[in-house]
């Protein structure tokens, strides 16, 4: 049976002043999607990759709330501000009935998700091409699951955002050593994420976007199954 058509998301104002888009209101499970950033401080934007995942997977998982976070300022030079916005998203979900959360962090969002993973309502983290800097503590993942999915062709180039798979692998192994479990998966010929955004606002699906979708769907299904026990 095919999934129901996606309904438009509703806008949520978080306590920090950041915004979020909510799909599938209700239910006691939630996925929080947090975005990448830039070196130069810029106003937050909606992530093309997160939007594509939420649009495609929201109808497949109607019992999971999808909350996309738009930071007040998106930059890795103010990582704690981005973490505060993501934590406020969790607080909003908990206050409205969520009992367990999966954090889905894309690019810099990987560091954001790992940085707040110690929160009690966070069950697991899914890092999509995650940036996990060496100085970031991974202790909050102890006893929790971290799965990493990375494009094999991802890398930083001048003027083009990217994170090398070798970098995320180091972060993943640090988390395992700290007491986390999970999997590390490379997407053959995968780039940095699943989508880009045109100036018009339309999404452009990158090559291998379906692989990103499938791996995220698998993580959501596992989260749902474990949370139902």
């Amino acid at each position: 049976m095919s999934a129901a058509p996606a309904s438009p998301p509703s806008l949520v104002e978080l306590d920090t002043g950041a915004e979020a888009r909510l799909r599938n209101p209700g239910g006691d499970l939630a996925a929080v999607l947090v975005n990448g950033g830039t070196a130069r401080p810029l106003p937050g934007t909606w992530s093309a990759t997160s939007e594509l995942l939420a649009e495609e997977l929201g109808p497949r998982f109607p019992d999971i709330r999808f909350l996309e976070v738009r930071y007040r300022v998106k930059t890795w030079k103010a990582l704690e501000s981005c973490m505060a916005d993501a934590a406020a998203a969790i607080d909003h979900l908990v206050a409205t009935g969520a009992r367990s959360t999966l954090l889905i962090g894309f690019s810099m969002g990987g560091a954001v998700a790992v940085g707040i993973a110690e929160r009690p309502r966070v069950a697991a983290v899914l890092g999509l091409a995650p940036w996990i800097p060496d100085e970031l503590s991974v202790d909050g993942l102890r006893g929790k699951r971290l799965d990493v999915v990375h494009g094999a062709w991802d890398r930083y180039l001048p003027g083009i955002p990217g994170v090398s798979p070798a970098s995320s692998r180091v972060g993943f192994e640090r988390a395992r050593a700290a007491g986390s479990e999970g999997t590390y998966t490379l997407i053959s010929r995968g780039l940095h994420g699943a989508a880009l955004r045109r100036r018009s606002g339309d999404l452009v699906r990158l090559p291998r976007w379906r692989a990103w979708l499938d791996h995220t769907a698998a993580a959501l299904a596992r989260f749902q199954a474990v949370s139902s026990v």
Side-chain angles (χ1 to χ4, degrees):
M1 184 173 65
S2 61
S7 57
S10 58
L11 196 64
V12 175
E13 185 172 346
L14 303 176
D15 287 346
T16 57
E19 291 183 323
R21 292 193 298 206
L22 177 66
R23 290 176 169 86
N24 299 348
D28 61 356
L29 300 179
V32 175
L33 298 98
V34 283
N35 190 8
T38 57
R40 185 162 60 96
L42 295 172
T45 57
W46 300 114
S47 163
T49 288
S50 295
E51 182 175 319
L52 176 62
L53 296 174
E55 282 185 351
E56 290 281 344
L57 296 176
R60 291 197 210 174
F61 295 90
D63 296 328
I64 297 179
R65 290 188 249 176
F66 286 73
L67 192 67
E68 303 168 66
V69 177
R70 180 165 71 179
Y71 309 123
R72 289 163 290 170
V73 179
K74 61 168 193 176
T75 175
W76 54 75
K77 294 184 177 180
L79 199 56
E80 290 197 2
S81 172
C82 297
M83 289 180 186
D85 292 340
I90 296 173
D91 291 343
H92 169 80
L93 290 165
V94 171
T96 53
R99 64 180 173 84
S100 189
T101 303
L102 171 67
L103 295 179
I104 302 176
F106 169 60
S107 195
M108 184 194 76
V112 172
V114 169
I116 62 170
E118 82 283 353
R119 298 178 73 86
R121 298 297 179 93
V122 174
V125 172
L126 173 63
L128 304 178
W131 175 57
I132 308 175
D134 292 342
E135 62 271 20
L136 179 69
S137 173
V138 295
D139 290 345
L141 288 165
R142 184 175 293 113
K144 299 186 179 183
R145 187 176 182 97
L146 169 66
D147 292 291
V148 172
V149 179
H150 213 127
W153 287 358
D154 191 358
R155 58 192 35 79
Y156 171 79
L157 296 171
I160 302 175
V163 176
S164 77
S167 169
S168 67
R169 184 79 201 207
V170 169
F172 175 76
E173 294 299 342
R174 285 204 298 123
R176 280 171 54 92
S180 177
E181 64 174 18
T183 58
Y184 186 95
T185 304
L186 280 177
I187 295 177
S188 175
R189 306 186 307 280
L191 302 175
H192 190 60
L196 296 174
R197 194 181 302 280
R198 299 183 192 274
R199 290 186 179 181
S200 65
D202 294 336
L203 297 184
V204 178
R205 297 169 190 242
L206 293 174
R208 305 288 287 148
W209 70 271
R210 288 187 184 277
W212 293 97
L213 201 71
D214 291 344
H215 286 296
T216 304
L220 287 162
R222 182 168 50 244
F223 164 62
Q224 193 170 43
V226 170
S227 300
S228 298
V229 174

